[in-house]
Amino acid sequence: MFPTKMTKSEKYIKDILEGKIYHGKLVLRSIENFVNDLQTNTKWIYRDDIADKFIKFIECLVFTEGIKKGQRINLEPWQCFFISQIFGWVLKEDETKRRYVETTLCIPRKSGKTTLVGVISLACAYIDNEARGQVYMAATSQKQSRLCFDSAWYAVKETPGLSIRIKVSAHNLLVKKNNTYIKYISSEAGGIEGTNPSVVVLDEHHLQKDNELRDALRLGMGSRKNPLFISISTAGSDKNGPYYQHLKTCKKIVNNLIENDRHFVLIYEPDEGSDWEDIKTWKTANPNWGVSIDPELFEQDYIEAKNDLSKQVGFMTKRLNIWADSAKTWIDAKKWSSLGRRLSLEDYKGQEAYIGIDLGSTGDFSAMAILIPQADNTIHLLMKFYISEDMAGKRTRADQLNFKEWARQGYIKLTPGDATDYNYIKEDVLEICSILDYKPIAYDKALATLFVNNLYNDYSIQVESFSQAIGSVTGPTRQLNEWIFEGKLVHDNNPVMAWMISNVEILQDDANGNYKIHKGKSKNKVDGPCAAVNAIGRYMELMTSENVITNYIKI
């Protein structure tokens, strides 16, 4: 199948198929699809000489930064494979028409992806016979799109002879022979309507909050013979965002579950179940290992992530291309799910319990956590949630989560109208306190004072505020994290709590290393975890045990 003298792309394909290079299932699948198409595709044919034009052009350019500045670009085998797939496939009946109109490259940081697609765009502008072509580098911010544009801009400036053929201006490049220009644009800058792109690079696609920019640019490509839309990104943290949904579609294309022979997909990520601490996993996700990826610096980042939970998700998303639930979340969704069990309040009659309440504003979520220590050294956690019916409808539309279905299943209580009726919470508190041997209920006095005063004055329910100062909540937050990682926490599998756990960020570190649960800039909710921290804080105040972190308040 392979010639004696192979191109870098052919060598890469051969090494993957023979297992000589660490790779994930999706990379293998992309290569198997290529090999299968060579043998069976009757509509499109592969022309390695056409692909080689683009590879040779790029390798005439020079590196413009770092220790290789001024040296000719020497593409890595995986990069040659990527480029050859985009440009090598053409229509059998008209070899001037390319097969792929869209390509997705998802790969960890420090793999040179922004520079790569920058020079690919330059090659398109120069080689394609597209009169008055329009090449756009696009991103969420002007700063990010400029980074991609600069990789092409500096390549023109610093490659001998190229600046004679391409006019260089501060904010665009113009190929003189075909009047094709290269510009950069962003979501924040506007001015997208009316464009007629021939090539688009959407950089760090995972940062896009919606598909508005992508759709507008793709719509404008309709009149071009060989349009090319390139999506590049690492993994992110918003699984409800458009890029995560885009990748789900891409994976179906690679696995031949969706028929789309005009979209080429290359995704570098570890296979499901891989050990994030294993060097094999690191190499699998990073095809530029030992090239632009320095193994020693990589290992240093790993050590920091292993010892600092707040850095773990950043390491996984940016270094390993593994999707996480929040930019700085501290609990893995799979770990949380593994601790779930069917729990019923009635099974704990007479047992000691610690209750935490987090009341939202009258129109938003409220949460109650019931913490029940067990004789087997585990801690059982039951959750209750409340929200008004009107707000549930609004959040269902905004969050694309079905709160009303969760209510039907008993995971959340909807109160009539547009404001949460605290009487529903009061009735549950009275029932719980009649069943359990509860300790004074922990609450945030900022929002719950009137509510708990009513509980105490009218029903003699014991209540005591729990400080929300960062020094006070650090200990309970760490304790919650420790119980989860050690598998000592057992929760009641409430999907509302799972959703809120995925929203948590740990952002408010202070000079003493204290931190608290936070939702960052997100509109998502974290009331459940906050209620749990209140309950754990009360437990820690009243208990002295080897299982509890002592001296948890740092001042």
Side-chain angles (χ1 to χ4, degrees):
M1 175 182 170
F2 296 100
T4 304
K5 186 177 181 180
M6 289 181 284
T7 64
K8 284 189 280 189
S9 176
E10 290 169 336
K11 180 69 164 56
Y12 182 70
I13 293 167
K14 183 174 184 292
D15 286 347
I16 290 289
L17 292 176
E18 293 179 355
K20 295 179 180 179
I21 299 174
Y22 288 114
H23 60 274
K25 292 179 181 178
L26 291 174
V27 169
L28 177 61
R29 195 65 174 147
S30 292
I31 286 176
E32 288 175 340
N33 288 340
F34 166 67
V35 173
N36 183 64
D37 273 356
L38 283 178
Q39 299 168 350
T40 63
N41 201 308
T42 57
K43 181 178 180 180
W44 306 96
I45 60 172
Y46 180 72
R47 290 276 306 274
D48 56 1
D49 58 320
I50 296 177
D52 199 43
K53 286 182 182 179
F54 289 84
I55 292 172
K56 285 182 176 178
F57 177 88
I58 292 170
E59 291 193 326
C60 284
L61 305 176
V62 298
F63 288 106
T64 61
E65 61 182 5
I67 60 174
K68 293 184 178 182
K69 186 178 186 299
Q71 299 178 28
R72 285 278 186 91
I73 290 175
N74 182 25
L75 292 169
E76 293 302 310
W78 73 269
Q79 295 171 326
C80 291
F81 171 69
F82 179 64
I83 294 168
S84 68
Q85 295 308 295
I86 300 172
F87 300 108
W89 285 99
V90 293
L91 186 65
K92 186 175 183 180
E93 297 178 355
D94 178 6
E95 293 185 12
T96 64
K97 188 175 182 65
R98 281 199 296 262
R99 172 181 180 176
Y100 290 115
V101 297
E102 183 171 4
T103 183
T104 295
L105 174 62
C106 186
I107 192 168
R109 286 187 64 186
K110 303 299 181 182
S111 299
K113 64 182 184 303
T114 298
T115 299
L116 175 64
V117 293
V119 295
I120 286 175
S121 301
L122 183 59
C124 287
Y126 193 83
I127 296 173
D128 283 350
N129 293 316
E130 188 77 58
R132 298 181 65 192
Q134 299 176 15
V135 179
Y136 291 102
M137 315 295 200
T140 303
S141 67
Q142 285 286 88
K143 181 180 179 181
Q144 184 63 43
S145 60
R146 177 78 206 207
L147 287 174
C148 194
F149 173 80
D150 280 350
S151 62
W153 193 90
Y154 282 105
V156 173
K157 288 281 287 183
E158 299 187 20
T159 299
L162 201 56
S163 59
I164 299 172
R165 297 172 174 83
I166 299 176
K167 183 180 179 181
V168 179
S169 302
H171 302 291
N172 63 72
L173 298 169
L174 178 67
V175 179
K176 295 177 182 179
K177 68 175 184 176
N178 55 17
N179 285 318
T180 293
Y181 65 72
I182 303 175
K183 294 184 176 181
Y184 61 97
I185 57 177
S186 69
S187 302
E188 65 187 14
I192 298 167
E193 298 301 328
T195 56
N196 184 21
S198 48
V199 177
V200 172
V201 173
L202 183 55
D203 198 7
E204 295 301 356
H205 192 165
H206 77 275
L207 295 175
Q208 295 290 321
K209 299 301 181 185
D210 54 48
N211 283 319
E212 185 176 347
L213 177 65
R214 178 177 182 268
D215 292 347
L217 290 169
R218 288 191 65 187
L219 183 63
M221 304 177 86
S223 64
R224 299 292 184 177
K225 183 176 183 179
N226 282 314
L228 179 60
F229 192 100
I230 305 173
S231 164
I232 60 169
S233 190
T234 58
S237 58
D238 185 3
K239 290 185 177 180
N240 292 315
Y243 186 61
Y244 186 74
Q245 303 307 313
H246 172 76
L247 280 187
K248 287 173 68 175
T249 300
C250 287
K251 291 176 181 180
K252 289 179 181 178
I253 292 172
V254 172
N255 288 312
N256 299 312
L257 300 176
I258 292 178
E259 187 175 345
N260 185 344
D261 67 351
R262 305 206 68 185
H263 186 170
F264 177 67
V265 176
L266 190 58
I267 300 175
Y268 287 92
E269 66 176 20
D271 294 332
E272 187 173 351
S274 298
D275 181 0
W276 73 279
E277 300 184 72
D278 190 336
I279 192 172
K280 294 179 182 179
T281 301
W282 303 351
K283 291 181 178 180
T284 295
N286 291 278
N288 252 24
W289 184 267
V291 184
S292 61
I293 305 291
D294 185 321
E296 290 185 3
L297 293 178
F298 194 100
E299 186 169 6
Q300 184 60 38
D301 286 348
Y302 156 72
I303 292 171
E304 290 183 8
K306 184 176 178 64
N307 294 315
D308 186 346
L309 295 172
S310 68
K311 294 182 179 180
Q312 235 173 67
V313 170
F315 179 83
M316 290 184 183
T317 55
K318 303 310 175 190
R319 285 300 213 170
L320 296 178
N321 219 26
I322 298 172
W323 278 79
D325 299 288
S326 178
K328 293 186 179 179
T329 189
W330 95 118
I331 300 299
D332 178 71
K334 290 182 180 178
K335 179 64 176 178
W336 177 261
S337 179
S338 71
L339 301 175
R341 204 185 293 174
R342 183 182 292 274
L343 305 179
S344 176
L345 191 66
E346 289 72 21
D347 293 335
Y348 302 94
K349 187 173 183 178
Q351 292 189 32
E352 191 173 82
Y354 301 83
I355 301 170
I357 291 178
D358 187 270
L359 292 188
S361 60
T362 54
D364 215 339
F365 274 100
S366 292
M368 178 162 44
I370 304 107
L371 194 77
I372 309 174
Q374 297 297 292
D376 63 358
N377 210 27
T378 60
I379 303 292
H380 289 196
L381 178 67
L382 294 85
M383 298 300 305
K384 291 187 175 293
F385 295 94
Y386 311 84
I387 193 173
S388 69
E389 289 182 345
D390 287 359
M391 183 57 70
K394 292 176 182 177
R395 294 205 68 92
T396 294
R397 292 188 293 274
D399 300 314
Q400 297 181 327
L401 298 170
N402 197 337
F403 294 101
K404 292 189 176 182
E405 177 61 20
W406 283 344
R408 189 187 66 79
Q409 295 172 352
Y411 295 117
I412 186 172
K413 282 191 177 180
L414 304 185
T415 70
D418 59 2
T420 304
D421 186 345
Y422 291 161
N423 285 317
Y424 283 74
I425 306 174
K426 178 190 71 178
E427 290 171 5
D428 279 352
V429 169
L430 295 177
E431 179 186 7
I432 291 165
C433 291
S434 70
I435 295 173
L436 303 172
D437 177 17
Y438 76 97
K439 302 306 176 184
I441 296 174
Y443 67 94
D444 175 5
K445 62 183 178 182
L447 290 173
T449 299
L450 291 176
F451 173 76
V452 297
N453 282 347
N454 174 251
L455 287 177
Y456 178 74
N457 293 329
D458 295 350
Y459 302 96
S460 299
I461 298 295
Q462 297 299 306
V463 295
E464 186 177 331
S465 67
F466 183 75
S467 173
Q468 302 299 298
I470 193 166
S472 298
V473 298
T474 291
T477 305
R478 285 178 174 160
Q479 184 67 77
L480 174 59
N481 180 81
E482 182 177 294
W483 284 338
I484 291 169
F485 271 80
E486 292 179 354
K488 292 182 178 179
L489 185 81
V490 178
H491 62 77
D492 62 353
N493 253 335
N494 190 309
V496 185
M497 184 63 167
W499 170 62
M500 290 186 178
I501 283 285
S502 77
N503 296 334
V504 171
E505 296 184 12
I506 302 296
L507 292 177
Q508 297 191 357
D509 294 9
D510 65 9
N512 293 312
N514 292 315
Y515 57 78
K516 67 189 297 185
I517 284 175
H518 194 267
K519 63 180 180 179
K521 297 179 180 179
S522 169
K523 293 181 179 179
N524 288 331
K525 308 303 294 182
V526 294
D527 306 78
C530 289
V533 165
N534 288 344
I536 295 169
R538 180 55 28 86
Y539 171 69
M540 294 173 73
E541 286 177 345
L542 299 177
M543 295 292 292
T544 301
S545 167
E546 62 180 9
N547 300 313
V548 178
I549 299 172
T550 58
N551 299 321
Y552 62 89
I553 299 179
K554 291 190 176 184
I555 57 174

